[in-house]
Amino acid sequence: DINVIAGTALDGSVTANLRNVTLRQAIDTALRMNNLGMIEEEGIYRIVPVEDADMVNRVNEIVNFKNAKADDVAKLLTDVTRTMGGRGTFTVTADKSANLVVLSAPKHRIDEVVALARSLDQEKPKLPVVTEAIPLSYADPKEVVTTLQTMLSKDIGKVSMDDRARQVVITDIPAVVEQAKDLVKSLDMPVKQVAIETMVV
């Protein structure tokens, strides 16, 4: 029972098998696979290119700092948000006199960016780092490691492989690790095979 309007220039198809997700999550996922997004206006949902949707669905937040310098934090956050996808949808503006930053991000990402900014409120800001092991079922660990190396944060990110356990271990900021997990999911697919049956008489 929702009203949806799609632009005339939009086309494409998505094959999906989704379980235990809300309708909104299912629609958002299908749209993002085609670089599309959704804007809600008085109960009507418009389907538009993802950049337009992210620009409209942006939220602004102000974060004050007691220890860190707003300029230093703004530089770090700008570098980090570049790796978070959706180019042009994140903006970070520093105010030296009030020692604060103004963050602008899509609704579904603003909490993550604000939490990251608050965690940097130290005299020498350090980015929070996590380490995760990502298991593989089909992909070659060497090839996955080579692919992941291109998306690591400079001077922070590391990736290695455990060939025996068939998994890759990545250390980086949480946003990059989440992106890496999504990428590995799409790479770790079985190779198409052909079954040949023979009868020897």
Side-chain angles (χ1 to χ4, degrees):
D1 296 326
I2 64 171
N3 302 305
V4 178
I5 298 175
T8 54
L10 305 181
D11 62 358
S13 61
V14 175
T15 302
N17 182 8
L18 303 172
R19 293 190 182 108
N20 301 320
V21 296
T22 63
L23 175 63
R24 181 63 189 249
Q25 286 174 306
I27 292 173
D28 281 341
T29 302
L31 291 174
R32 289 205 175 260
M33 288 180 73
N34 278 309
N35 290 321
L36 301 173
M38 187 160 53
I39 299 172
E40 182 182 0
E41 293 172 346
E42 298 178 3
I44 297 174
Y45 295 89
R46 285 195 303 122
I47 310 300
V48 296
V50 69
E51 290 85 4
D52 295 349
D54 284 342
M55 291 301 283
V56 170
N57 294 325
R58 292 207 321 178
V59 177
N60 297 321
E61 285 276 350
I62 296 172
V63 180
N64 293 288
F65 299 103
K66 292 178 183 175
N67 303 308
K69 291 182 180 176
D71 271 358
D72 295 339
V73 174
K75 284 175 190 170
L76 276 170
L77 288 174
T78 301
D79 289 341
V80 170
T81 53
R82 278 192 196 122
T83 68
M84 293 171 80
R87 66 179 180 274
T89 57
F90 297 91
T91 57
V92 182
T93 309
D95 183 341
K96 279 186 190 177
S97 57
N99 201 35
L100 58 82
V101 294
V102 179
L103 305 171
S104 181
K107 282 180 193 174
H108 65 286
R109 303 301 295 273
I110 190 70
D111 291 340
E112 181 184 356
V113 181
V114 168
L116 180 58
R118 290 196 173 126
S119 73
L120 295 172
D121 192 13
Q122 304 164 20
E123 288 184 23
K124 289 186 178 178
K126 291 180 183 175
L127 289 169
V129 173
V130 295
T131 299
E132 284 210 33
I134 308 171
L136 301 173
S137 298
Y138 307 102
D140 180 355
K142 287 179 187 172
E143 291 177 7
V144 173
V145 165
T146 304
T147 304
L148 292 180
Q149 280 171 341
T150 61
M151 63 187 300
L152 296 176
S153 302
K154 191 178 177 184
D155 301 326
I156 298 173
K158 294 176 187 172
V159 64
S160 59
M161 66 176 177
D162 182 347
D163 221 352
R164 182 182 50 80
R166 290 193 55 74
Q167 61 185 13
V168 291
V169 180
I170 182 167
T171 301
D172 211 318
I173 59 173
V176 173
V177 171
E178 286 305 311
Q179 277 188 320
K181 284 160 76 175
D182 290 341
L183 179 61
V184 169
K185 264 186 205 172
S186 63
L187 294 174
D188 193 26
M189 303 292 285
V191 178
K192 289 185 179 179
Q193 298 179 348
V194 177
I196 301 174
E197 293 183 5
T198 62
M199 180 185 291
V200 179
V201 180

